[in-house]
Amino acid sequence: MHDDRMKQAIRGRWAVAAVFLVNGFLIGSWAPQIPVTRDRLEISEFSLGLLILGFGLGALVAMPACGYLIGRIGSRSTVKLFGLASTFGLLVVALAPGIWAAAAALVLLGALIGGTDVAMNANAVEVEKQMRRAIMSSSHGFWSVGGFIGGGAGGAVIQATDHRVHAAIVTAIALGAMLVAVRFMVTEPRPEAQVPHRFALPRNPIVYLVGLIALFSMIPEGAVLDWAAIYLREERGSDLATAGLGFAAFSATMALMRFVGDKVRNRFGAVRTLRVSSLVAAAGMLVAGFAVEPWIAIAAFGFAGLGIANMVPIAFSAAGNQPGTSSGASLSTVTLMGYSGILVAPSAIGFVGERFGFAPVYVAVSVLLVVVCLMAGLARAAEFEAAAESGRPAQ
């Protein structure tokens, strides 16, 4: 019986990895569609930024609602609901005939992607409980692999065919993979209602400072996801296929580092890993901002991805291990602050980029990453997790 449960958990481990992969693939596929959307709707960077803001707001609204739904019907059923629907989201955006239709489609896409994100993370936690070992870091690595595939191939497919054909191909691939994956996902023993019913914000100020670390760590990801293609195409003169490689390189290096992230943290500790990672990311963003040739900028984005990879997981671990504070309240606060950096901040970046260009934006982002380096000591609560996994005492 025990062997059967373990085999089921192992299948569930790869099933949830596939869901992470598809989720990243969908977001990565959206990246090369962004400049096409701007051109076909004949809108400015500011207007495009407002559309992207709708994507972020849709996700931020769906995330807590999805969390409640998971408590009622379980993470597997919630992934079925949101995950399968999300595979059609990009196609709806690509077919939107005007700006208002595109705005509604992006809100819908953001809500479906964001809801799937919460549900797949919850399912990964359940797999960890059943397998009694960590899989979260590598699961996020699969998300980055999906982003790399979607961003890397998307520009070339659009250039060779049409943005609608590209969206249809993405939908078919994502739907097929998701249909297979949800069949093998694990289920919780019994979904329980969310408790307590009254939500209270954490009183510990360290939680909000850690939230700033998460925010400053995710703003660079949003800046690359939503604006790297336009930056490379408009300001560095690349073609459409090359422009999509900025986020692809960023996602590829993030994936590689996330697959070894747990070992790095166990070896060097959370604070030191965060400090070095933030400096690596800052250097990459700084070079990307000053790069003259598109291939230098793409390489710099890839270098930055090595640093960004482990910063958010460390921030989330630090939030969940704050002494004297509810883990759930701390994590929900830090998660909301962090995801604002990838879902909401890009609209402000578009506003600045339209007036001053995106090169200064990436330079400014590097400054935020230096601030993370200076704040790294606040992540000391995450040392316990790394120390426990490595079998050595916490420092």
Side-chain angles (χ1 to χ4, degrees), residues 89-310:
L90 186 65
L91 184 60
V92 174
V93 173
L95 295 176
I99 186 169
W100 293 109
L106 278 168
V107 170
L108 176 63
L109 177 62
L112 294 174
I113 292 289
T116 305
D117 190 288
V118 174
M120 69 190 188
N121 275 283
N123 194 262
V125 169
E126 182 59 32
V127 172
E128 289 182 326
K129 291 178 181 178
Q130 296 187 19
M131 295 186 69
R132 296 183 179 180
R133 66 182 180 88
I135 66 156
M136 188 65 74
S137 180
S138 60
S139 294
H140 283 267
F142 281 106
W143 185 93
S144 297
V145 170
F148 168 73
I149 296 171
V157 174
I158 293 173
Q159 190 163 275
T161 57
D162 177 78
H163 73 281
R164 291 163 295 188
V165 174
H166 167 253
I169 293 172
V170 168
T171 299
I173 294 173
L175 179 61
M178 190 72 75
L179 284 170
V180 174
V182 295
R183 292 180 56 196
F184 299 101
M185 296 181 75
V186 302
T187 57
E188 292 86 354
R190 183 183 61 190
E192 298 178 357
Q194 297 291 316
V195 290
H197 295 289
R198 188 182 66 177
F199 176 76
L201 292 172
R203 297 182 179 180
N204 185 353
I206 299 296
V207 171
Y208 299 97
L209 294 175
V210 172
L212 282 179
I213 292 177
L215 174 63
F216 291 170
S217 299
M218 296 188 83
I219 284 176
E221 191 169 347
V224 177
L225 167 64
D226 290 317
W227 298 112
I230 288 178
Y231 169 61
L232 291 170
R233 187 180 179 190
E234 300 293 334
E235 298 182 29
R236 294 299 175 258
S238 71
D239 58 24
L240 184 59
T242 302
L245 296 179
F247 181 67
F250 185 80
S251 296
T253 54
M254 282 184 69
L256 291 173
M257 183 54 68
R258 279 176 170 169
F259 284 121
V260 299
D262 291 333
K263 292 182 179 179
V264 172
R265 284 178 60 185
N266 290 340
R267 175 67 178 84
F268 299 103
V271 171
R272 189 182 301 175
T273 301
L274 179 59
R275 187 169 289 132
V276 173
S277 295
S278 60
L279 290 178
V280 169
M285 289 294 175
L286 187 65
V287 172
F290 283 109
V292 177
E293 297 294 330
W295 288 106
I296 296 177
I298 291 169
F301 285 135
F303 187 74
L306 292 173
I308 295 293
N310 290 321

